[in-house]
Amino acid sequence: MYSYEAIVRYSETGGNKISNMATIANYFQDCAILQSEEVGIGLDYLAEHHRAWFLVSWQIEVVRYPAMGEKIKVRTWAYDFKASLGFRNIDILDENGECIVKAASIWSYMDTERLRPVKIDKEVSDAYPMEPAIDMEYAPRKVKLLGDAETIDTRKVMSYQIDSNNHMNNEAYIALAQEYVDDVADIIAVRAEYKMQYVKDDVIVVKRFIDDRYVQIILADEEDRTRCVVQFERSSKDI
């Protein structure tokens, strides 16, 4: 298990001085990458071997959001490998050691020259100590669409949203999607299914479906191909 300690910064919070789901996704992504660097299978290793981890899906559940100035511990560990897929848990503990956020994620091990999933190299899987999976109700990888979504906006992928794989950063999908939720503090869970990557200057077509429990944001392209589905679960029925 890998962990790091942090203090929630003002820049990571909103008007209510608590963090949000995009901040959580950033904590989790950083923790996963820092572990890979520590075990020697980091960004340079992957680049040299023409490999990369592409996020397939997130499932994040929030008991409460960390507040500004709060000391937290972010932890991550692998709990399974299957062919080209890696399965990773991540959680956040408060100062009392209580789990306040937990997550499951699935990653695809990719050949970056052929842009195809490949079997995880033994050197890579052996580098990550295996730990038991978090006790949580694991949702399916695919997010089922709940109804007809309405097109509400178009955006363009900006340079600040691009990561080291020259794709739109995983967290940027969550940050963009939550812009279309009226009260982000009301979000208690998110599921995200990543289908196709955006690159700089791609046009993002934003669609939204809302019911009394969920807000689904479908991020598509100009050819109406779905690139990512983000589903937010709310704690109340207020939109």
Side-chain angles (χ1 to χ4, degrees):
M1 182 181 296
Y2 175 85
S3 68
Y4 73 86
E5 296 182 354
I7 297 176
V8 179
R9 296 173 294 178
Y10 177 76
S11 60
E12 298 171 329
T13 65
N16 53 7
K17 295 187 290 185
I18 65 169
S19 56
N20 56 58
M21 193 61 79
T23 302
I24 298 300
N26 258 334
Y27 288 151
F28 284 178
Q29 180 173 249
D30 288 345
C31 195
I33 290 173
L34 288 170
Q35 184 189 31
S36 295
E37 294 291 332
E38 182 178 78
V39 301
I41 311 293
L43 298 177
D44 290 344
Y45 172 94
L46 293 171
E48 290 170 6
H49 292 78
H50 307 290
R51 296 290 187 265
W53 289 104
F54 284 11
L55 184 59
V56 175
S57 66
W58 274 120
Q59 178 188 354
I60 304 174
E61 298 179 358
V62 176
V63 176
R64 68 170 181 85
Y65 288 100
M68 186 190 76
E70 183 174 2
K71 295 179 181 179
I72 59 172
K73 176 181 284 188
V74 187
R75 309 187 303 174
T76 189
W77 61 94
Y79 67 89
D80 200 6
F81 291 106
K82 292 180 180 177
S84 65
L85 296 178
F87 299 80
R88 176 184 289 277
N89 282 140
I90 309 177
D91 65 10
I92 296 177
L93 307 182
D94 66 13
E95 291 183 77
N96 298 318
E98 296 292 327
C99 179
I100 57 174
V101 185
K102 58 185 176 181
S105 59
I106 304 175
W107 303 74
S108 180
Y109 194 59
M110 299 287 291
D111 180 325
T112 55
E113 293 185 313
R114 296 184 296 166
L115 288 180
R116 294 176 56 185
V118 292
K119 185 176 180 180
I120 298 168
D121 301 309
K122 188 174 187 301
E123 180 181 11
V124 173
S125 58
D126 286 350
Y128 295 96
M130 302 285 281
E131 299 282 349
I134 286 178
D135 183 14
M136 62 186 292
E137 185 175 343
Y138 287 81
R141 176 175 62 84
K142 294 183 177 294
V143 179
K144 181 180 179 181
L145 299 183
L146 301 176
D148 294 329
E150 175 187 4
T151 298
I152 58 173
D153 203 359
T154 58
R155 307 280 285 267
K156 180 178 279 191
V157 179
M158 307 302 289
S159 58
Y160 70 86
Q161 296 173 306
I162 299 300
D163 64 15
S164 60
N165 293 317
N166 292 316
H167 296 150
M168 183 166 151
N169 189 286
N170 297 321
E171 175 273 341
Y173 292 79
I174 306 298
L176 189 154
Q178 75 177 16
E179 290 184 28
Y180 302 95
V181 179
D182 285 349
D183 185 1
V184 296
D186 195 40
I187 298 170
I188 59 171
V190 65
R191 291 174 59 199
E193 178 190 353
Y194 296 83
K195 295 175 176 284
M196 300 172 63
Q197 299 289 330
Y198 289 108
V199 297
K200 186 179 180 297
D201 294 327
D202 276 352
V203 173
I204 305 170
V205 178
V206 183
K207 304 178 183 181
R208 182 175 64 183
F209 173 83
I210 299 175
D211 66 15
D212 62 356
R213 184 177 178 185
Y214 298 104
V215 179
Q216 284 192 336
I217 305 298
I218 293 87
L219 304 178
D221 58 26
E222 293 180 293
E223 287 74 45
D224 201 31
R225 297 175 297 182
T226 299
R227 300 287 186 99
C228 183
V229 180
V230 181
Q231 175 177 287
F232 297 109
E233 182 178 355
R234 296 171 297 171
S235 61
S236 72
K237 295 184 179 181
D238 295 331
I239 296 175

